[in-house]
Amino acid sequence: MLRYGLTGGIASGKSTVAAMLHEEGFPVIEADRVAHQVMEPGQPGYKEVVATFGEKILVTHQGLHTDPERNAGPSIDRKRLGAIVFSDHEKLARLNAIIHPHVEEEIKREFAEFERTGKYAAGFVEAALIFEAGLHKKLDGVVVAWCLPEQQLARLIERGLSADEARKRVALQMPAAEKLALATIKIDCSGPLERTRREVRALAAKLRRSSRGG
């Protein structure tokens, strides 16, 4: 089974592409989900994140989970943590250094599970920081979803960010041009949804042919 990354700048369309790939029958691992998972109480990254950023990032939600271990204490509030790291390159780098090794280990495990089924020509991991974390060196290729910079800002503002917050979020990431220069495959998310869907379908067909040796 081929192992591909799927990335792109914030609000560039990578989640839309991920959903389309899933519709085409490919498994997609969401790195954000895995990152949240490893920061839950009792999980590998929890204590280190709290020790690094302080108890001010914690919130108590008793009784939310059926797993008693996850109800044992306060959880990390991602909004509070985000307010700290998304305005400071150094703090974001510290968080990534804590979380990425745990995330990478879980991604490796999930890919292995997909491969054991023998059902898939390829699997994907959707992540914002594939190149920055060096994960692309352990994959067969990387798909980069892209749109125009002004579209990114407009989409972020539609999600509720101020124009200043939107610009800061974009500035914290690797420039789109650098990601596109490293891409194995590029998916255009700047136009109509159906055009993006055609590009994803073409990619899906190519991967299926590759798995058959065609």
Side-chain angles (χ1 to χ4, degrees):
M1 184 189 81
L2 293 170
R3 301 180 181 196
Y4 271 81
L6 169 60
T7 194
I10 188 169
S12 287
K14 72 178 182 301
S15 295
T16 298
V17 173
M20 291 177 180
L21 286 166
H22 194 265
E23 289 170 7
E24 291 291 326
F26 296 97
V28 181
I29 301 165
E30 295 177 33
D32 277 352
R33 168 188 60 79
V34 176
H36 297 162
Q37 181 179 311
V38 302
M39 286 194 292
E40 288 175 352
Q43 296 301 309
Y46 176 83
K47 286 184 180 179
E48 197 172 351
V49 171
V50 175
T52 301
F53 295 100
E55 294 190 359
K56 60 184 175 291
I57 66 171
L58 296 176
V59 62
T60 301
H61 293 302
Q62 290 296 332
L64 280 183
H65 300 296
T66 55
D67 180 350
E69 190 171 330
R70 289 170 64 187
N71 276 322
S75 61
I76 293 170
D77 186 305
R78 294 196 297 272
K79 286 187 178 179
R80 293 181 187 179
L81 181 59
I84 294 169
V85 302
F86 287 130
S87 59
D88 188 314
H89 275 283
E90 185 180 332
K91 288 176 181 175
L92 182 59
R94 284 163 65 193
L95 176 64
N96 289 335
I98 295 168
I99 294 301
H100 281 167
H102 301 302
V103 170
E104 190 172 324
E105 190 61 31
E106 176 60 18
I107 288 168
K108 184 179 176 182
R109 187 192 68 77
E110 292 189 27
F111 267 141
E113 281 190 11
F114 296 146
E115 192 155 25
R116 273 195 295 271
T117 69
K119 296 194 302 185
Y120 304 110
F124 291 82
V125 54
E126 176 198 351
L129 303 177
I130 283 177
F131 295 120
E132 296 90 328
L135 187 57
H136 62 294
K137 297 172 185 175
K138 302 173 185 179
L139 298 168
D140 295 302
V142 179
V143 177
V144 174
W146 67 275
C147 70
L148 301 174
E150 55 267 32
Q151 291 174 312
Q152 279 183 276
L153 294 176
R155 291 171 185 178
L156 287 170
I157 291 167
E158 283 176 11
R159 294 179 189 178
L161 295 183
S162 69
D164 188 52
E165 288 171 330
R167 282 191 288 269
K168 283 181 180 177
R169 291 286 181 98
V170 172
L172 277 170
Q173 297 192 330
M174 177 188 286
E178 290 183 25
K179 289 187 177 182
L180 287 168
L182 294 168
T184 312
I185 298 151
K186 303 166 190 175
I187 300 289
D188 185 352
C189 299
S190 67
L193 201 59
E194 191 51 43
R195 185 172 75 189
T196 300
R197 194 180 301 279
R198 284 196 300 271
E199 293 192 16
V200 171
R201 284 175 177 161
L203 169 59
K206 179 181 177 181
L207 292 173
R208 292 189 190 106
R209 286 195 302 272
S210 296
S211 73
R212 295 192 296 265

